[in-house]
Amino acid sequence: MSMTVLTVDDSRTMREMLRLALTDVGYRVLQAEDGVHGLEVLAGETPDVIVTDINMPRMDGFGFIEEVRGDPQYRGVPILVLTTESDAEKKNRARMAGATGWIVKPFNPVKLVDAIRRVAA
Amino acid sequence: MDPLAAIRETFFQECEEQLAELESGLLAMEGGDTDSETINAVFRAVHSIKGGAGAFSLEPLVRFAHVFETALDEMRSGRLAPSADVLKTLLRAADVLADQVRAAHDGAPEDEARSAALAEELKALGPEGGSAEAAGTEDDWGDFAFQPLAAIEAAPEAGSGAAWRVGFKPRADLYAKANEAALLLRELRRLGEAVVELDASALPPLADLDPEAAYLAWTVTLPGNLDETAIREVFEFVDGDCELEIGREGEAAPADDVAPEFDISALLAKVQTAPENLVMEPVVEPGPRLAPEPATTPVDAAQPSPAAANDAQAAAQRKPDAAGATIRVDLERVDRLIDLVGELVINQAMLSQRVMEAGFARASGVAMGLDELEQLTREIQDSVMAIRAQPVKSVFQRMPRLVREVAAMTGKPVRLVTEGEGTEVDKTVIERLADPLTHMIRNAIDHGLESPEKRAAAGKPAEGVVRLTAAHRSGRIVIEVGDDGGGINRERVKAIAVERGLIAADAALSDEEIDNLIFMAGFSTASEVSDISGRGVGMDVVRRSIQALGGRITITSRPGKGSTFTMSLPLTLAVLDGMVVSVQGQTLVAPITAIVETLLPKASDVHSLGGHARVIAIRDSYVPLIDVGMALGYRAEPLVATQGVALLIEGEGGARAALLVDAIQGQRQVVIKSLEANYRQVPGVAAATILGDGRVALILDIDTIVAVSRGADSLRAEKRLAATG
């Protein structure tokens, strides 16, 4: 069964990297440029997993996660935080906001897919 | 293209955007902008470049971006004040970063010494003046390398011993974050043969069951040869949201009482050096059933650090401003569309003409339908042209760096003021503006502005001002480069022009004419060629490149107050409003923008100057009367002036001339087709177009015709000049 993954990242490069890595294993990929855009995309889709960056304009990853978790429809969707920040603070804040897990950039495609498989039913 | 190579290109494109963002943000801060979103955007730009560079293993770039980012983070968190000196350093760092990006793109070597020197300066801005930062960089470094495949596969040999017993009791939070106990158990099973026992004793009767609460607990027995790190990694994401107890079977609760063959120091070392694990150790809740964990660093999640507080503030200030919905389209596709619309315009014109020739009445349905079609075609054309229009910002924003560099080289303090960056013009025009603008700004600082001492003596502030402005004016874009320097030294310019034989020693020239001498080919102030301006490019080259864009450039100068170069350019290179004229049976097009008025010459106004040279009196001045047919070689004998129509035109520098043609056919917008691309360059002809009747008409290059007719009898003279020069 093919899985749908929503990627939220303000960097075009990173979105493309994610798309390449995920389509490579047969996932369907939705893309958004920041939190606000991510919520817009979610209005029409329910992905199996969300992968989001933290540092983004308009609405950052923390805000986005809180919004998603606040909506009963997406409560059960795993959210992986994708960020170069590996410090405890960022991870903890992301988790307090409701993130399911994280991936440290620059990601290895294998690790990325592995992390997604770990949280997706 | 290989998909990864394509992404690499995307990365470099994006870098350019981010570098622009970085610079404009820093400049805004230099100008007093204290908005937290500005510093955030600046930080994000460097951060993104670092992230992408890491993905492509561009290590020098990652390293420099990291040091840069650290300094910006200090500023973002309020620990570093954005003083003028700090911002100057950051701007120079932005320049170095830009060079590094380009070097990485081209695979060229970077200036390591310069990067290293600036990295040191940046580090000095960092926490505790750098020493701690240097160490911090090393520590952080591990996060940027590609991490090896999961430690799960990597370390199965780490000791063997009694079987592992993992006690795992999720809290409700674990489920709220969309983690799933079943998936974790599945992961554990992947490590090795697992025996899972469920403890459902806490499960209430169905009627009392809260679906969002957590009631179940598991105990999993795993083979003793597994590495504890691998087991912990499974619980990486749920750490803090569950009670977790990992120990050897039959082991007493205290962790220091381990099986003898178990190398605790090696394990500790492993756990401590793996940053992931350090970070992820659970917030242990001291409960009677839980063994104290070795090497645990509890993380106090409830107490946000200053940085986090700052982020929270930033998040609170999130501006959900409307997103400018944009799409990216290949330029080729747009150009193809423009081409097709051009063809459509021509076809529509041809159809109109045929319908008229067929004798349909103006009020007939067919003619009216055609009128509507013409209207629509025009609108489509305008809309398609607008796709290619871009704000001049993209070229303007390259200038601050140039100004900084030239200011540093000349030792003149300079402030660049830009205006009208949002003014839009065709992309091609923008691209071809960069070189002339660069040259003019360099000139303005090097030649235009006086030394600080001279300025002080003249009672001016030491800091010179260079203004770069853009505005739309009557269907064209007008770009000005001005300085508040000493103005043109007319005495010297005139002396030089005489010395180079450009003008006669006794020529009586107006101030304006003297100022415009600097545009003449061969005028080079060699006595003061400097490193900055003296790159073998004179103002004549600038003028030619502006003319090649269908533009005009003029200078106005006031002694002691400064000079301003004014360029007027067409908004698009694809269409032109033209006056269609006939000359010796040929149909030609003159750009309307150049035409001041048209008139029927009276015999009494035309005076011969000997040979074929004539002037015509227009009101109270005489202007040269140029026979276009002669100039282009269509006829050997000049047309009698009274048998034709004169177009009074204004060329570059405001010089006027009258072009004599046989008749005017009408006025219309024409689609420009390059003659150079389809045939070759022809002096006196700027381009070609296809008319409604399908015939090709040449578009006149008025400035060349005027310039050449003034200096010689015909364009053949220019060809000779070109051949010998």
Side-chain angles (χ1 to χ4, degrees):
Chain A
M1 186 197 72
S2 173
M3 191 139 56
T4 299
V5 182
L6 167 64
T7 62
V8 188
D9 199 312
D10 60 330
S11 156
R12 209 156 67 237
T13 310
M14 213 45 73
R15 285 200 303 275
E16 285 305 293
M17 298 276 276
L18 287 166
R19 190 181 53 78
L20 185 65
L22 297 176
T23 51
D24 211 39
V25 290
Y27 293 175
R28 183 170 158 252
V29 179
L30 306 172
Q31 295 184 326
E33 295 176 12
D34 57 37
V36 175
H37 189 199
L39 294 176
E40 285 166 12
V41 173
L42 278 180
E45 294 267 1
T46 305
D48 297 293
V49 176
I50 298 172
V51 176
T52 181
D53 189 21
I54 289 293
N55 216 321
M56 296 181 292
R58 297 209 297 166
M59 180 188 282
D60 64 14
F62 302 129
F64 173 68
I65 295 168
E66 280 166 16
E67 292 284 338
V68 174
R69 282 285 174 258
D71 186 333
Q73 194 186 339
Y74 308 113
R75 194 176 279 179
V77 179
I79 305 174
L80 292 173
V81 176
L82 177 64
T83 174
T84 43
E85 332 265 354
S86 57
D87 67 293
E89 206 51 61
K90 282 265 150 66
K91 280 180 187 168
N92 273 320
R93 281 198 59 207
R95 293 191 54 211
M96 280 160 67
T100 310
W102 55 87
I103 302 155
V104 176
K105 283 195 282 192
F107 60 85
N108 167 323
V110 179
K111 263 211 119 157
L112 170 76
V113 172
D114 186 59
I116 289 176
R117 284 192 180 137
R118 275 170 73 180
V119 296
Chain B
M1 201 194 292
D2 153 31
L4 209 60
I7 297 177
R8 198 181 141 97
E9 271 319 298
T10 304
F11 165 64
F12 284 113
Q13 271 175 23
E14 202 171 18
C15 275
E16 290 300 328
E17 293 162 24
Q18 249 117 21
L19 288 168
E21 184 103 339
L22 169 63
E23 183 171 34
S24 66
L26 288 174
L27 288 173
M29 290 171 71
E30 204 177 34
D33 183 342
T34 54
D35 190 346
S36 69
E37 190 38 46
T38 308
I39 172 76
N40 277 337
V42 162
F43 178 85
R44 262 199 313 273
V46 177
H47 182 73
S48 272
I49 291 175
K50 183 178 85 169
F56 291 105
S57 308
L58 303 169
E59 282 173 24
L61 190 52
V62 175
R63 230 174 288 132
F64 188 78
H66 180 74
V67 179
F68 198 168
E69 184 189 39
T70 308
L72 290 171
D73 196 35
E74 285 295 293
M75 193 183 272
R76 190 167 68 145
S77 58
R79 289 188 294 267
L80 176 67
S83 67
D85 281 346
V86 167
L87 284 167
K88 277 211 165 64
T89 305
L90 295 179
L91 277 163
R92 279 190 295 125
D95 294 343
V96 169
L97 189 66
D99 287 344
Q100 284 196 334
V101 165
R102 277 151 216 162
H105 188 195
D106 306 338
E110 52 137 353
D111 187 343
E112 281 175 37
R114 180 156 154 259
S115 308
L118 213 58
E120 284 309 314
E121 282 187 57
L122 288 172
K123 281 180 190 167
L125 301 177
E128 291 162 46
S131 53
E133 169 52 21
T137 309
E138 295 311 312
D139 279 348
D140 244 16
W141 189 240
D143 292 318
F144 289 98
F146 273 92
Q147 296 189 336
L149 283 183
I152 298 167
E153 291 122 90
E157 308 302 334
S160 60
W164 289 105
R165 278 184 72 79
V166 179
F168 167 51
K169 183 175 190 317
R171 297 198 194 101
D173 270 356
L174 182 145
Y175 300 110
K177 290 171 188 166
N179 268 301
E180 188 55 70
L183 293 175
L184 296 165
L185 295 173
R186 187 182 72 187
E187 285 297 312
L188 284 180
R189 271 225 324 261
R190 277 199 194 146
L191 297 180
E193 199 181 324
V195 180
V196 181
E197 299 159 49
L198 169 68
D199 174 6
S201 58
L203 201 63
L206 191 60
D208 301 335
L209 192 128
D210 173 358
E212 306 219 331
Y215 301 106
L216 302 177
W218 289 268
T219 306
V220 184
T221 310
L222 289 161
N225 63 347
L226 288 175
D227 185 2
E228 185 176 343
T229 326
I231 301 173
R232 289 208 175 276
E233 201 163 84
V234 171
F235 295 96
E236 193 184 15
F237 294 162
V238 297
D239 184 7
D241 294 327
C242 64
E243 290 169 23
L244 185 65
E245 179 191 0
I246 300 176
R248 295 278 182 182
E249 193 139 62
E251 191 181 291
D256 50 347
D257 189 8
V258 290
E261 69 269 42
F262 186 74
D263 186 355
I264 184 74
S265 58
L267 178 63
L268 278 174
K270 201 168 239 156
V271 171
Q272 275 166 337
T273 49
E276 291 292 34
N277 279 54
L278 255 184
V279 163
M280 287 318 305
E281 286 304 323
V283 182
V284 179
E285 297 217 339
R289 287 177 54 233
L290 286 172
E293 295 292 336
T296 294
T297 314
V299 176
D300 190 351
Q303 195 180 4
S305 76
N310 201 59
D311 276 335
Q313 210 177 7
Q317 288 173 352
R318 258 181 258 135
K319 297 174 208 158
D321 44 339
T326 55
I327 56 160
R328 280 169 191 275
V329 182
D330 256 6
L331 198 55
E332 260 176 45
R333 292 196 192 179
V334 175
D335 287 345
R336 170 92 183 117
L337 189 59
I338 287 179
D339 247 23
L340 285 173
V341 173
E343 299 294 326
L344 177 67
V345 170
I346 291 165
N347 261 288
Q348 178 269 322
M350 287 165 71
L351 185 61
S352 289
Q353 192 151 344
R354 292 208 184 121
V355 167
M356 288 307 136
E357 282 164 8
F360 284 95
R362 270 247 149 249
S364 68
V366 173
M368 275 157 64
L370 267 176
D371 279 351
E372 271 170 41
L373 179 64
E374 185 176 350
Q375 199 78 35
L376 265 176
T377 313
R378 268 278 177 142
E379 268 179 48
I380 293 175
Q381 194 175 25
D382 288 349
S383 310
V384 171
M385 295 298 174
I387 298 179
R388 275 190 63 103
Q390 285 192 329
V392 288
K393 188 175 175 193
S394 59
V395 58
F396 273 26
Q397 68 194 6
R398 294 191 217 169
M399 299 304 151
R401 171 175 188 175
L402 174 77
V403 170
R404 282 197 294 281
E405 285 176 353
V406 180
M409 271 192 261
T410 54
K412 296 176 185 175
V414 187
R415 184 156 51 93
L416 177 71
V417 178
T418 55
E419 254 171 56
E421 291 185 319
T423 312
E424 290 193 337
V425 66
D426 189 276
K427 187 176 159 60
T428 314
V429 176
I430 290 182
E431 281 162 2
R432 282 155 67 180
L433 265 178
D435 282 349
L437 276 185
T438 302
H439 188 73
M440 286 161 70
I441 286 186
R442 231 182 240 149
N443 262 337
I445 299 172
D446 194 23
H447 296 316
L449 295 178
E450 318 91 323
S451 64
E453 300 77 40
K454 269 195 192 166
R455 289 181 67 90
K460 293 182 180 179
E463 189 180 55
V465 176
V466 172
R467 300 181 70 84
L468 177 60
T469 66
H472 280 148
R473 214 172 291 157
S474 47
R476 289 171 79 85
I477 183 169
V478 175
I479 296 176
E480 295 191 341
V481 177
D483 65 67
D484 70 342
I488 298 266
N489 183 341
R490 296 194 175 114
E491 288 300 306
R492 218 177 66 232
V493 165
K494 201 174 164 188
I496 291 166
V498 171
E499 187 192 312
R500 321 235 146 192
L502 299 172
I503 54 167
D506 57 352
L509 299 177
S510 66
D511 285 351
E512 197 187 329
E513 283 171 319
I514 296 174
D515 292 346
N516 281 290
L517 287 174
I518 62 166
F519 291 118
M520 290 185 78
F523 181 95
S524 153
T525 50
S527 58
E528 54 167 283
V529 164
S530 66
D531 280 350
I532 301 113
S533 307
R535 299 200 175 173
V537 184
M539 285 308 293
D540 59 317
V541 175
V542 169
R543 187 183 62 173
R544 243 179 285 142
S545 45
I546 298 297
Q547 283 172 347
L549 289 170
R552 294 193 297 267
I553 181 167
T554 55
I555 178 173
T556 52
S557 183
R558 284 191 299 158
K561 303 277 187 195
S563 311
T564 300
F565 288 92
T566 305
M567 285 161 283
S568 155
L569 294 149
L571 293 179
T572 166
L573 302 180
V575 290
L576 171 110
D577 279 309
M579 182 80 84
V580 184
V581 300
S582 339
V583 173
Q584 197 76 20
Q586 300 285 328
T587 303
L588 302 171
V589 178
I592 280 201
T593 45
I595 300 174
V596 182
E597 61 177 290
T598 60
L599 48 123
L600 293 169
K602 280 185 248 146
S604 57
D605 290 339
V606 180
H607 305 276
S608 174
L609 299 178
H612 294 314
R614 288 177 290 183
V615 291
I616 182 169
I618 291 174
R619 285 181 279 278
D620 49 4
S621 66
Y622 287 99
V623 300
L625 181 69
I626 299 158
D627 184 336
V628 175
M630 291 278 289
L632 292 177
Y634 288 141
R635 54 186 162 225
E637 284 303 313
L639 180 74
V640 176
T642 49
Q643 289 176 7
V645 182
L647 313 176
L648 179 64
I649 53 117
E650 192 171 83
E652 23 98 355
R656 291 182 165 202
L659 297 186
L660 188 65
V661 299
D662 298 13
I664 289 177
Q665 295 180 11
Q667 199 176 313
R668 77 161 55 114
Q669 193 175 55
V670 297
V671 178
I672 301 174
K673 299 273 177 193
S674 167
L675 200 60
E676 240 174 309
N678 295 305
Y679 175 52
R680 62 179 170 84
Q681 205 188 353
V682 178
V685 177
T689 188
I690 302 170
L691 295 172
D693 57 8
R695 280 184 301 145
V696 172
L698 301 179
I699 299 171
L700 298 175
D701 175 356
I702 284 180
D703 286 333
T704 311
I705 291 178
V706 172
V708 173
S709 297
R710 275 182 153 185
D713 271 341
S714 78
L715 289 167
R716 265 159 260 146
E718 167 153 281
K719 280 193 206 154
R720 279 202 303 277
L721 280 176
T724 54

